[in-house]
Amino acid sequence: MQRKSNFRDVFYVSDGTAITSETLGHAILAQFPIETRQTTLPFVESVDRALNVQKQINRIYEETGIKPLVFYSVVLPEVKAIIEDCSANLYDVLDALVEPLKHDLDMEPMPQLQRSHSISKDAASYMDRIAAIEYTLAHDDGVSLNNLEQADIILLGVSRCGKTPTSLYLAMQFGIRAVNYPFIAEDMTSLKLPQAIEPFRYKTYGLTIDTGRLVAIRNGRYANSDYASLQQCESELNKVESMFRREAIPYLNTTSLSVEEISTRLLDMSGLKRRMC
């Protein structure tokens, strides 16, 4: 199998959700001009599962002749030993920080499986996050503008500019109760802040996007429609951004940002605290 010289297979392996391995791996790989094919393998908690993962990683090396990159976070010694015996370039995301912290604290770590830090550790925080997800789903895409006093943040913007994934990410990752409201074509003749949102403008933020990107996204959903046309997208964006400026609603361009980056920027703009559950 032929591969470009700047192409690498990347694995994120963990005995938990693999979110830590993915997050650190993505941040590090972003510093290099390479193309990747990425595979996430969570809950590698047993020898049998680890052996299957090892076979999967080794098979890639046999097929390509290029060692995959493996970012891993594994606690159990017998499982970790199998992963570390793979034909791959290995990066232990825990040891990179545990060893210096061990030295600075003058204390031996007490390894635990990541899953032990879930519901039982802080049931109240877990239930808060579930409530935030339920609230956000009930207020997605303008379905409801009731109980806005309970919202932590309200997002406005044209259809397909990133409001829903951002709202759900905020709820799932940080326990933030998010409302999102789309401005549609019918709103454009007399565009203004919805009356129900007016009392809560202090927690309202806008999302916008470059015209070309919006056209591409909408064409992926409804190809060659008026909804996806350059003229329609440009008109909607111009009118909505003008309304944001007129109403002094802070807004963010999402074009080149991931949902993680959008969420983090909104947290910074709003001063909301991350509720790590």
Side-chain angles (χ1 to χ4, degrees):
M1 182 184 297
Q2 295 295 318
R3 290 280 191 233
K4 298 178 182 178
S5 59
N6 66 337
F7 181 95
R8 301 298 289 268
D9 279 280
V10 180
F11 289 85
Y12 302 107
V13 181
S14 176
D15 51 25
T17 62
I19 290 174
T20 300
S21 298
E22 281 186 318
T23 301
L24 290 174
H26 289 164
I28 294 166
L29 290 174
Q31 312 303 311
F32 299 91
I34 62 171
E35 296 179 31
T36 62
R37 179 175 62 181
Q38 305 188 29
T39 302
T40 301
L41 300 169
F43 305 123
V44 183
E45 302 172 303
S46 67
V47 168
D48 286 344
R49 170 88 163 133
L51 288 170
N52 286 333
V53 169
Q54 185 188 67
K55 289 178 183 177
Q56 187 173 347
I57 293 171
N58 288 348
R59 184 168 60 249
I60 293 296
Y61 177 58
E62 292 167 4
E63 291 174 353
T64 66
I66 300 174
K67 287 186 176 182
L69 309 178
V70 178
F71 295 86
Y72 66 103
S73 172
V74 178
V75 168
L76 293 177
E78 62 272 26
V79 174
K80 187 174 182 179
I82 294 169
I83 300 304
E84 291 180 339
D85 196 36
C86 292
S87 298
N89 296 120
L90 300 158
Y91 309 95
D92 187 332
V93 301
L94 284 183
D95 274 358
L97 295 175
V98 169
E99 283 303 312
L101 191 58
K102 169 184 168 181
H103 176 269
D104 293 340
L105 293 175
D106 192 23
M107 182 185 298
E108 287 295 323
M110 300 175 64
Q112 296 179 330
L113 282 175
Q114 292 183 26
R115 292 180 76 184
S116 67
H117 295 283
S118 56
I119 300 174
S120 61
K121 182 179 179 183
D122 193 339
S125 292
Y126 176 78
M127 295 310 296
D128 283 346
R129 181 159 57 176
I130 295 300
I133 294 169
E134 291 175 345
Y135 179 91
T136 299
L137 287 172
H139 294 79
D140 178 45
D141 209 28
V143 169
S144 171
L145 289 179
N146 296 323
N147 306 313
L148 294 187
E149 69 280 358
Q150 298 177 22
D152 295 307
I153 194 168
I154 300 170
L155 302 181
L156 306 177
V158 301
S159 172
R160 314 307 293 180
C161 69
K163 300 181 303 302
T164 290
T166 300
S167 297
L168 290 174
Y169 186 86
L170 286 168
M172 295 172 69
Q173 293 298 317
F174 304 122
I176 301 294
R177 297 183 181 218
V179 173
N180 80 78
Y181 182 87
F183 292 115
I184 60 176
E186 288 75 11
D187 296 320
M188 297 302 153
T189 53
S190 57
L191 191 62
K192 59 184 178 181
L193 199 63
Q195 186 175 358
I197 294 176
E198 178 66 41
F200 305 101
R201 60 165 56 235
Y202 63 92
K203 55 184 174 184
T204 299
Y205 296 83
L207 297 183
T208 189
I209 191 170
D210 288 354
T211 305
R213 179 63 179 149
L214 183 61
V215 169
I217 293 172
R218 288 186 174 184
N219 266 305
R221 190 171 179 84
Y222 298 110
N224 303 315
S225 63
D226 289 341
Y227 168 76
S229 70
L230 176 62
Q231 182 179 6
Q232 181 66 31
C233 291
E234 188 172 46
S235 174
E236 288 184 25
L237 287 168
N238 286 339
K239 290 176 180 178
V240 168
E241 289 179 16
S242 177
M243 190 273 290
F244 288 155
R245 291 189 292 270
R246 184 175 66 251
E247 298 289 344
I249 301 296
Y251 65 96
L252 177 67
N253 190 306
T254 67
T255 304
S256 59
L257 302 177
S258 66
V259 67
E260 296 89 347
E261 291 171 315
I262 298 168
S263 300
T264 300
R265 288 173 187 259
L266 285 170
L267 290 178
D268 182 59
M269 291 167 66
S270 65
L272 286 170
K273 302 298 182 186
R274 301 168 182 244
R275 301 167 188 163
M276 301 303 289
C277 306

